[in-house]
Amino acid sequence: MKSPSTGMSAWSNPLHPDVFPGVRKMEAEVVRMCCTMFHGDASSCGVMTTGGTESIIMACKAYRDYAINVKGIKKPEMLVPVSAHAAFDKGAQLLGMRIRHVPLDPETMKVDIAAMRKMINRNTCMLAGSAPQFPHGVMDPIIEIAGLGLRYDIPVHVDACLGGFLIPFMDDAGFPLAPFDFRVEGVTSISADTHKYGYAPKGSSVIIYNEPKWRHHQFFVTPDWPGGIYATPTIGGSRSGGIVSACWAALVYHGKRGYVDYTRSIIQTTRKIEEGCRKIKGVFVYGKPEVSVVALGSNDYNIYQLSDRMGKRGWNLNALQYPPSIHIAVTVLHTHPGVAERFIKDIDELSKEILENPPKDAGGSAALYGMAQSIPDRSLVGEMAWCYLDAVYSTKISEKPTIE
Ligand SMILES: *Cc1c(COP(=O)(O)O)cnc(C)c1O
């Protein structure tokens, strides 16, 4: 969405709230709207970031620094479900923290609470759960994780990056959900991506805390820099005010009614797709998808063959691994008449095709993921990924892009 406010504020910089007071106010209001949405009280607070990854990294930093400075923990470590987003691993690497992955219940794909409890030790500085998790769209048992947090006095982060603008509206949309936010005692922070189901342009997300003490440990402050007393809330220095205003505009424009209506159609469509897929021979649905993602696997063939063939029909499905699976994330586009029906029909036809005529050699992502998961030396797979990233930055020599 291109709002007029984006145009006016595209060259502004929230780093200088005195120069751009309007942008400051909009950012504060985005945060407050999200605090309220997640049932935070007057002491709840937060900041805007550039995306879910940064929101998660900021929560990790807050809890790391709280652990070191307040609790005297020397080597803080975090416990996250195996299904948690890779942003936690990125955060652990950047922040020099240890990350330990808690196994899932193989039936429900929810984090195994007993295993999480056993992995808690005196270095544990944060627990995390996802609402819902990215791979299979399953809600982690937030109430139970928060219970562990209370019992062992450890802060609990709820990653609602994906579901942050769906789950708060599900009760009103007619799909009640167990509480997952600050209504649950023990939940201390929530990340939510305005640039996903908040329908703001890419480059915005929020991290919300139940109390200011966590946020203080997130801030970066250096009082002695010759460039001035330097203080920033997040990783970046200069940022775009355009993103802030576009995000503010999206929240105000859609409003609660808009989000409830979108949520209702998205959940209805997801349930339709789930039910349809459960009847199709050759595939099964992982766990109980409660929000907008349905993940499929197969006991009869290489599931990536299905996503490759779906790709040829114009469907872009995410490939997941451990265990092999593919998923669809249902968006507003999929709620249009006939789209879900076509999806189910295509899965049905192509699954039949593979069952009736099993291909001997897998090609495409079927080959790639099949092979990648079977290579025990993970560093080899890592090097393949470097090549992929290098290729993203390739240019045609013949075109010689230049600023001259
Ligand atoms: C998308 C996502 C993230 C990371 O968000 P980015 O905006 O891509 O950085 C984190 N957690 C979950 C569950 C997500 O779906």
Side-chain angles (χ1 to χ4, degrees), residues 51-54 56 85 87 130 132-134 159 161-162 193 195-196:
T53 299
E54 192 181 9
I56 289 170
H85 195 275
S130 312
Q133 39 100 310
F134 172 84
D159 177 14
C161 280
L162 184 60
D193 286 354
H195 71 191
K196 286 182 184 158

